[in-house]
Amino acid sequence: TNIVQSAYSSAGVSFAVALFVLVVMTRSILLTISSVVTIMAVVFVIGGIVVSIGWDLNILESIIVSISVGLSVDFTVHYSHSYLHSPDKSSRITYMYKVMGVSVATGAFTTFISGAALCFAQTLFYYQFGIFLVITMVFSFTFSTFLLPSILCIFGPLDDQNEGKDDNQNETGTDEDSSSKGDMVAASVSI
């Protein structure tokens, strides 16, 4: 029970640090919440898979629980940062993919390959850590690349010039094309 409590407290501290870094980095509650939801989804899926494959919570698995938060944060933070620095909201998702897509995909691929190589190890620790890396990279990349942009299309923060205005109004207060959100969702799904 001490190991279980330690694992949960380590994951809680990791989430708190991630939340703090996201709030400081983005200065946007909506972007922070969207990012944390994505990170939590990854961690919950990893936890579910670890339980479903029958791993008992001992020292190795408690380490895996605590570092899964850290590994899940990486891609989400990169995408959130580039989303925040996009020139305008209508192209933020496309900008996010253009600026960080290759870097995130390359990072996920190389870490996935290193984890896959560990899956052939004879030592239990290396084998389990390899499985963990493969699972983490698959879901962290998938959720940060597809779930996060979908959430941001719906709940993403307004850009600075439009703060307080209706999302479909431009500088003059007239309605812009209402299909811009649909275009962003289509762009996030097609990429």
Side-chain angles (χ1 to χ4, degrees), residues 139-162:
F139 287 102
S140 183
F141 176 76
T142 303
F143 284 18
S144 65
T145 302
F146 300 108
L147 177 64
L148 178 65
S150 299
I151 293 171
L152 291 175
C153 281
I154 298 168
F155 302 109
L158 299 172
D159 51 14
D160 295 337
Q161 297 84 15
N162 291 334

Side-chain angles (χ1 to χ4, degrees), residues 7 14 16 19 23 29 41-42 44 46-47 49 52 57 70 73 80 94 100 102 106 111 122 130 137 155 171 178 190:
S14 298
L19 181 67
V23 167
I29 297 299
V42 173
F44 288 152
I46 292 168
I49 290 174
S52 71
L57 191 61
V73 164
S80 297
T94 305
M100 293 308 299
V102 172
T106 305
T111 309
Q122 298 300 314
M137 287 304 106
F155 302 109
E171 300 274 321
S178 62
S190 66

Side-chain angles (χ1 to χ4, degrees), residues 67-180:
I67 64 174
S68 67
V69 177
L71 288 173
S72 302
V73 164
D74 189 33
F75 305 142
T76 302
V77 168
H78 283 85
Y79 278 140
S80 297
H81 181 73
S82 62
Y83 176 88
L84 186 66
H85 288 90
S86 173
D88 62 311
K89 185 174 180 180
S90 65
S91 65
R92 281 185 171 181
I93 301 298
T94 305
Y95 182 83
M96 180 181 79
Y97 283 129
K98 284 181 182 177
V99 170
M100 293 308 299
V102 172
S103 300
V104 166
T106 305
F109 178 73
T110 56
T111 309
F112 177 88
I113 293 299
S114 66
L118 287 174
C119 291
F120 297 104
Q122 298 300 314
T123 307
L124 179 64
F125 172 80
Y126 292 124
Y127 169 76
Q128 284 185 324
F129 197 74
I131 296 291
F132 162 72
L133 279 178
V134 166
I135 292 168
T136 302
M137 287 304 106
V138 166
F139 287 102
S140 183
F141 176 76
T142 303
F143 284 18
S144 65
T145 302
F146 300 108
L147 177 64
L148 178 65
S150 299
I151 293 171
L152 291 175
C153 281
I154 298 168
F155 302 109
L158 299 172
D159 51 14
D160 295 337
Q161 297 84 15
N162 291 334
E163 201 64 46
K165 291 184 182 178
D166 184 74
D167 207 14
N168 292 329
Q169 291 184 348
N170 61 19
E171 300 274 321
T172 62
T174 59
D175 283 341
E176 291 180 339
D177 185 337
S178 62
S179 67
S180 62

Side-chain angles (χ1 to χ4, degrees), residues 42-63:
V42 173
V43 172
F44 288 152
V45 167
I46 292 168
I49 290 174
V50 165
V51 168
S52 71
I53 59 178
W55 289 359
D56 293 327
L57 191 61
N58 58 36
I59 293 173
L60 175 63
E61 286 79 14
S62 66
I63 292 170

